[in-house]
Amino acid sequence: MERLLAWRVPRAFGYPGEAIAPLVDALDRTGGEPAFIPARHEETASFMATGHAKFTGGIGVCLATQGPSAVQLLNGLYDAKLDSKPVVAIVGEDISGPLGGAHQEIGLSRLFGDVCNQFVQYGRSPDEVGALLDQAFRTAAATRSPTCVVLPRQLQEALVPDLQSYGAGVITATPGEPLARVLPHEVDLDAAAQLLGGGQRTAILVGQGGRDAAAEIIEIADRLGAGVATSLLGKPVLDERLPFHTGVLGEVGTPAAAELMGGCDTLLMVGTNDPWTDYFPMPEQARTVQIDIDGRRIGTRYPADVPLVGDAAETLRALLSRLRGRPEQQWRATVESSVDRWREVAAERVAAAADPVNPQLVLQELSARMPGTGAVAVDVGSVLYWYARHLTLPPGVNAQLCGTLGSMGCALPYAVAAKLAAPDQPVVALVGDGAMQLNGLAELITVSHLWQQWRDPRLVVLVLNNRDQNGMGGGRQPSSDPTRRRPDVPYAGWARLLGLHGVRVDRPELVGAAWDEALAADRPCVLEAVVDPAVSLAPPEPAFADLRGLYAEGAPARKVREQVEVTANADDLV
């Protein structure tokens, strides 16, 4: 408990079990510092820990016992690993049975060996536990990844030794040491400035690493006359109302973002590891500068001519001091025209008739009412498409999702973690009916158990109920076979049974009023919107899709480049 407090851990998420019981008992005796938050399942506990890391920037902690309980942690830990978030998993093990015959015994070091590959260690003696936990936390923070400590039950029950006698050893490690300041070399900054300054049609792709660098990104975009697109994880970084902000890139994103990538000759990537490579510029089309705190990620999605390993904000400030103001007004005007066209198309899609409710309308109506502070948690499924395109986030609102792993069932655990981290701020969770049936119905019990402790009781869970068994909607006509359709659950009614508020809406003209009621409720609310599964997801066409096909079939790179250059000479490229 002392080590958790030293590392400023406010709470640990988990599911009680015999092999972890002494640790849970110790948490109960602390009086809430740190607190133990019991989830309904170990998987959601690990999602809560990862959600805590994503929303707060701190280190998430999850607890589990051995065997199947430990296995259930993996999904949330892989989410942390792939989205580069620090989480420490503490797993109990009871090895009191015969060698190789303990109940529920599995090889924990091998189980966690991949997801926690930076650090997996067993506690062996009481005097090393403090240093072991310090190392787990320090490694998680330094590598931005999950780590694991296995504590046998017998060790949890052992007497704490007098650690003062170990003053000359590793026990003196200091928790909470800040990460080093990281800046690229001067020669690399000079090369990057020269490359960017020579571009005629510059695009900036922003990922989650651009957080806290919004002002610098906007300034460099204005100085270069650039257009901006974001990854899904980078969506909250910039004000999406900016006239040169083309939106999210990729299959879930906008045509304007695809056109920006297709037309650029210079690309600046800021803190992104976006996997939608089909929507990146053609090979050898754009000269590229990539900024990332983790040098291992540079060049993995698109070739980088100048790699810059460093903190985004400080690196951008160093670049700005080297760049002259030479905005390309014609390119900027072209980008802004593309953005205007997309917004017109988006409005048409929102207004399109649906049976009974257009899901795009539901997200659009939230945009007009979204609180100016707080957090948004987004699940996987068709709701992700509507979030990416139709929810405009106010500046300062933090939004998180399972960006790289893409695991369904993350949003409600994320929302609980966000609400516990800032109980005076509103939280909105965007969930499909598949994720709600997967684990959301159970985790509403957690919400009902905790909400009366929150200064601001608003936690609104939007459930898009499209009854689509495939989970993605997307233009398919609903099946007439009842076995192929998801059961229709009364989500709002279930919330009311738990003592929460519930609103069900199945008429488009009442969607706005339903949001007003949900956001004004004096307790957490489930807003169930009955939506049309046949509304098309309509992924944008990647720019130069025909040329990509030629390239994939083995066409000579020179011929492809010639075709790109011919197209790129057009003034109205986008």
Side-chain angles (χ1 to χ4, degrees):
M1 295 307 102
E2 289 177 358
R3 303 326 290 161
L4 296 184
L5 285 173
W7 283 92
R8 297 184 292 275
V9 174
R11 62 194 62 87
F13 306 92
Y15 192 90
E18 184 175 354
I20 200 70
L23 187 55
V24 174
D25 291 342
L27 282 163
D28 288 341
R29 293 194 299 270
T30 65
E33 294 184 5
F36 175 62
I37 306 299
R40 311 277 73 78
H41 194 279
E42 294 88 353
E43 180 180 84
T44 51
S46 63
F47 273 132
M48 289 176 187
T50 299
H52 174 88
K54 290 186 175 186
F55 279 108
T56 69
I59 301 175
V61 175
C62 55
L63 310 177
T65 188
Q66 64 189 29
S69 181
V71 172
Q72 305 293 356
L73 291 180
L74 292 180
N75 208 18
L77 294 179
Y78 270 109
D79 178 20
K81 178 180 181 178
L82 297 185
D83 281 354
S84 299
K85 299 302 174 187
V87 173
V88 175
I90 303 176
V91 181
E93 185 177 58
D94 190 346
I95 54 175
S96 59
L99 181 63
H103 184 54
Q104 297 184 322
E105 183 180 5
I106 59 176
L108 294 178
S109 58
R110 294 187 65 184
L111 177 70
F112 293 101
D114 179 58
V115 67
C116 298
N117 64 303
Q118 297 291 338
F119 186 90
V120 182
Q121 291 291 333
Y122 273 74
R124 299 298 183 188
S125 62
D127 57 343
E128 72 176 13
V129 169
L132 192 65
L133 289 170
D134 283 347
Q135 191 63 30
F137 278 92
R138 183 172 292 104
T139 302
T143 63
R144 298 172 178 84
S145 67
T147 60
C148 177
V149 174
V150 181
L151 295 179
R153 180 182 174 112
Q154 292 81 354
L155 188 59
Q156 297 174 50
E157 295 173 330
L159 293 176
V160 177
D162 179 9
L163 301 182
Q164 299 302 318
S165 61
Y166 293 88
V170 294
I171 298 301
T172 58
T174 304
E177 294 167 345
L179 296 178
R181 180 189 183 200
V182 181
L183 272 175
H185 293 293
E186 297 290 324
V187 64
D188 295 322
L189 290 166
D190 292 339
Q194 183 177 4
L195 187 154
L196 293 171
Q200 300 297 312
R201 302 181 302 277
T202 302
I204 302 176
L205 179 60
V206 179
Q208 64 171 335
R211 292 177 187 270
D212 302 321
E216 290 81 5
I217 293 169
I218 293 171
E219 186 175 352
I220 206 167
D222 285 337
R223 194 167 296 187
L224 297 173
V228 173
T230 73
S231 68
L232 266 172
L233 291 171
K235 180 178 166 73
V237 172
L238 299 177
D239 186 347
E240 295 183 285
R241 298 168 297 184
L242 292 167
F244 54 87
H245 193 317
T246 63
V248 172
L249 181 69
E251 184 178 313
V252 301
T254 74
E259 291 164 359
L260 174 70
M261 291 294 125
C264 70
D265 65 5
T266 307
L267 176 62
L268 172 61
M269 300 171 65
V270 181
T272 179
N273 193 35
D274 197 324
W276 299 108
T277 54
D278 285 351
Y279 291 84
F280 277 51
M282 286 288 297
E284 301 186 31
Q285 171 193 328
R287 301 187 68 201
T288 303
V289 174
Q290 184 173 356
I291 302 170
D292 204 291
I293 192 68
D294 188 345
R296 295 172 297 181
R297 293 188 169 174
I298 291 180
T300 59
R301 303 299 187 187
Y302 192 80
D305 295 280
V306 181
L308 298 178
V309 178
D311 301 304
E314 290 205 62
T315 301
L316 289 170
R317 284 195 289 271
L319 279 176
L320 281 166
S321 68
R322 292 166 163 80
L323 286 173
R324 301 179 194 174
R326 192 178 58 81
E328 295 294 338
Q329 297 298 340
Q330 184 177 2
W331 171 244
R332 173 64 73 84
T334 303
V335 171
E336 292 182 1
S337 295
S338 178
V339 172
D340 290 340
R341 286 197 300 273
W342 156 242
R343 289 174 178 170
E344 292 173 0
V345 170
E348 292 172 0
R349 293 181 181 180
V350 166
D355 181 22
V357 174
N358 186 332
Q360 298 165 111
L361 171 67
V362 180
L363 274 295
Q364 182 67 45
E365 290 290 343
L366 173 59
S367 287
R369 297 166 171 82
M370 188 69 207
T373 59
V376 177
V378 190
D379 222 300
V380 173
S382 59
V383 68
L384 195 59
Y385 287 71
W386 315 138
Y387 157 78
R389 299 170 187 166
H390 299 291
L391 179 60
T392 301
L393 295 171
V397 171
N398 194 354
Q400 295 290 346
L401 49 92
C402 188
T404 310
L405 182 63
S407 179
M408 187 184 294
C410 61
L412 202 47
Y414 279 11
V416 170
K419 193 66 182 179
L420 290 169
D424 58 342
Q425 300 285 326
V427 174
V428 176
L430 308 177
V431 184
D433 52 357
M436 202 63 186
Q437 291 186 24
L438 183 69
N439 60 28
L441 292 171
E443 288 308 323
L444 279 181
I445 301 173
T446 305
V447 174
S448 70
H449 175 67
L450 298 171
W451 76 268
Q452 296 189 46
Q453 307 169 24
W454 301 336
R455 290 188 291 276
D456 183 331
R458 289 178 294 174
L459 191 162
V460 180
V461 181
L462 169 68
V463 182
L464 293 181
N465 183 4
N466 66 9
R467 297 137 296 163
D468 178 34
Q469 187 66 44
N470 291 316
M472 295 296 286
R476 296 184 301 273
Q477 290 300 318
S479 173
S480 58
D481 183 354
T483 65
R484 298 186 61 188
R485 304 201 67 196
R486 180 168 287 116
D488 195 3
V489 173
Y491 304 101
W494 171 240
R496 289 191 290 269
L497 283 174
L498 293 174
L500 309 177
H501 195 59
V503 181
R504 188 176 190 270
V505 60
D506 57 6
R507 292 167 57 186
E509 66 272 17
L510 297 179
V511 171
W515 274 117
D516 290 335
E517 181 179 344
L519 290 166
D522 64 351
R523 62 197 61 208
C525 176
V526 171
L527 172 54
E528 177 187 352
V530 185
V531 297
D532 190 345
V535 174
S536 174
L537 299 179
E541 184 76 6
F544 302 133
D546 55 337
L547 298 183
R548 289 181 189 277
L550 288 172
Y551 203 89
E553 292 166 10
R558 180 182 56 80
K559 182 176 180 181
V560 175
R561 286 199 302 273
E562 289 172 356
Q563 295 181 64
V564 172
E565 288 164 1
V566 169
T567 310
N569 286 330
D571 291 336
D572 58 345
L573 177 67
V574 175

